[in-house]
Amino acid sequence: MGDKDRAFRNFLSDKALFFQFLRRFLRFGTLEGVGLEDIELENVSFISQELVARESDVLYRIRRGGKETYIYILVEHQSSVDHLMPFRLLAYMVRIWERCVEEAGSKSRRKSYLLPPVIPVVFYDGMQKWTVASTFVEKVENGDAFAGFVPNFSYHLMVLGKRTSEELLAFRDALGGLLYLANPSKEEDLSMTVRRLLEYRKLLPPEEREILSRHFAGYLTILAKREGVDLSGMAEEIASEEEAEKMVTYVQREIRKIRKEGRLEGREEGRMEGRQEGRQEGRNEAMLESARKMLSRGFDAAQVADVLDLPLEQVRALAESEGEKD
């Protein structure tokens, strides 16, 4: 199991984080009022050995009012998209239903037995645009002409790269911090990412800080490895500000060493040459829009400045122009 797969499974296998994910992104009417006590992680995977290097999966069972619903989350780790995704999802859903039938035993043959809903979710963290068919019938030749005979379903798609760092950090919970770390499109370098997340961590309530600490090091290790920094000797959980500052200092020292040796020169020059003035202006405007949203939700200017890494005076001026009180 690779670092990315391990980090993902630890992330979404945490019921508290999945519960946040459920409430924020999967707002189905039938799941309204579901509590943490109604959620159960199923210790099962449907991914074949040939595909484990490129995808991961997690299955949750939600029991409420005598009814069951399954949430099946498939994560695509590769940068390119697989246009057979609807077919693969159908195959996984059928395996889940086969498991349900097996558990039900002879009851499954009764007229009253109904298969539970299975909600497929695709979590894509690649950079290439997602162009896969959104419904199964689109993958069947002339499928619309055979409505009623061809299975049809859609899936909930989350493309992480579409979300800005500011949007994710505006969540102000552990989920937002971890999605920020995993986001492949963020512009911050490793040192800034670590510093920014630790400032964000200070703003969280204790219970959210604890959840974030359980998974912080897993994703940070992946980012660090890409830049040639080895964090294998660091703590797996960041339980105190002292440990957090120690990690930041270590990362910054290692990055300075790597830059001095010239290993990052080519990568940094390439990134700088690829950035266009228009993109920078767009990011600046997006950051200001995120600041406006946070101010409208009751964040004070100091908190907004910390999370978005903006000058405090600029945020205060923005708050005044928006009619907000610091």
Side-chain angles (χ1 to χ4, degrees):
M1 183 183 292
D3 290 337
K4 203 170 186 181
D5 179 62
R6 185 179 297 106
F8 162 73
R9 290 197 65 82
N10 290 340
F11 172 12
L12 279 182
S13 294
D14 188 316
K15 283 177 59 175
L17 279 171
F18 172 75
F19 187 51
Q20 291 181 358
F21 183 81
L22 178 69
R23 289 187 299 176
R24 178 160 285 124
F25 298 112
L26 304 179
R27 296 177 180 174
F28 299 99
T30 55
L31 298 180
E32 286 293 331
V34 167
L36 195 60
E37 68 280 1
D38 302 316
I39 299 171
E40 180 181 347
L41 174 67
E42 298 291 291
N43 187 23
V44 64
S45 174
F46 300 94
I47 303 299
S48 64
Q49 285 300 313
E50 312 89 77
L51 297 176
V52 290
R54 53 178 278 183
E55 61 187 36
S56 308
D57 64 345
V58 168
L59 179 67
Y60 275 92
R61 184 191 328 220
I62 299 175
R63 289 190 174 102
R64 189 164 181 267
K67 304 292 184 181
E68 291 185 347
T69 301
Y70 286 85
I71 308 290
Y72 179 69
I73 305 178
L74 181 70
V75 175
E76 279 283 292
H77 293 311
Q78 61 176 11
S79 58
S80 59
V81 298
D82 183 353
H83 290 276
L84 271 179
M85 176 60 72
F87 172 74
R88 295 205 342 263
L89 284 173
L90 177 62
Y92 296 145
M93 292 164 71
V94 169
R95 290 177 197 170
I96 295 170
W97 280 318
E98 287 176 339
R99 188 167 174 264
C100 293
V101 168
E102 184 178 345
E103 286 182 356
S106 60
K107 294 180 182 179
S108 65
R109 299 182 178 86
R110 298 175 184 174
K111 182 178 180 180
S112 59
Y113 176 78
L114 298 175
L115 294 169
V118 176
I119 301 172
V121 178
V122 174
F123 192 108
Y124 177 57
D125 63 357
M127 289 297 292
Q128 184 175 323
K129 184 179 179 180
W130 186 266
T131 55
V132 177
S134 60
T135 61
F136 181 78
V137 75
E138 294 176 68
K139 289 302 295 179
V140 178
E141 187 174 359
N142 206 20
D144 288 336
F146 297 94
F149 296 95
V150 174
N152 196 21
F153 65 91
S154 59
Y155 53 91
H156 180 86
L157 174 65
M158 180 170 180
V159 180
L160 189 55
K162 281 187 175 181
R163 300 175 182 271
T164 66
S165 299
E166 289 69 36
E167 181 182 358
L168 295 172
L169 291 177
F171 290 169
R172 205 183 179 192
D173 58 18
L175 179 65
L178 289 168
L179 292 179
Y180 164 71
L181 272 177
N183 189 355
S185 65
K186 62 179 174 292
E187 294 293 332
E188 298 90 337
D189 63 15
L190 178 59
S191 180
M192 177 58 72
T193 295
V194 175
R195 174 61 65 185
R196 192 171 183 184
L197 190 67
L198 292 178
E199 290 301 317
Y200 171 79
R201 180 180 178 272
K202 294 176 183 177
L203 303 177
L204 299 181
E207 62 273 14
E208 293 296 324
R209 198 178 305 162
E210 181 182 347
I211 296 171
L212 180 60
S213 296
R214 290 203 293 264
H215 304 279
F216 178 90
Y219 275 105
L220 189 60
T221 298
I222 296 170
L223 295 176
K225 186 177 290 186
R226 292 174 184 168
E227 301 292 351
V229 178
D230 182 11
L231 293 182
S232 58
M234 304 299 290
E236 293 187 3
E237 293 188 14
I238 308 302
S240 67
E241 298 303 326
E242 183 180 355
E243 289 179 356
E245 289 300 327
K246 180 180 178 182
M247 178 171 283
V248 171
T249 302
Y250 177 79
V251 168
Q252 290 175 332
R253 184 175 68 243
E254 288 300 301
I255 288 178
R256 285 196 296 270
K257 184 191 302 183
I258 291 171
R259 283 175 177 160
K260 187 176 181 180
E261 294 172 356
R263 283 185 279 163
L264 286 184
E265 292 295 332
R267 274 187 298 220
E268 288 185 341
E269 289 175 5
R271 281 198 294 264
M272 291 298 293
E273 292 173 358
R275 292 174 184 167
Q276 299 177 355
E277 186 175 335
R279 287 183 62 200
Q280 184 60 50
E281 291 176 359
R283 285 196 297 272
N284 291 341
E285 182 56 37
M287 189 172 290
L288 290 176
E289 181 60 29
S290 296
R292 292 187 188 97
K293 290 180 181 178
M294 291 180 70
L295 289 168
S296 70
R297 293 172 184 169
F299 287 54
D300 63 40
Q303 290 175 326
V304 174
D306 277 339
V307 172
L308 301 184
D309 197 30
L310 289 172
L312 181 57
E313 291 306 315
Q314 182 182 12
V315 177
R316 283 175 173 164
L318 184 63
E320 290 176 5
S321 68
E322 295 290 316
E324 299 286 341
K325 294 181 179 180
D326 185 0

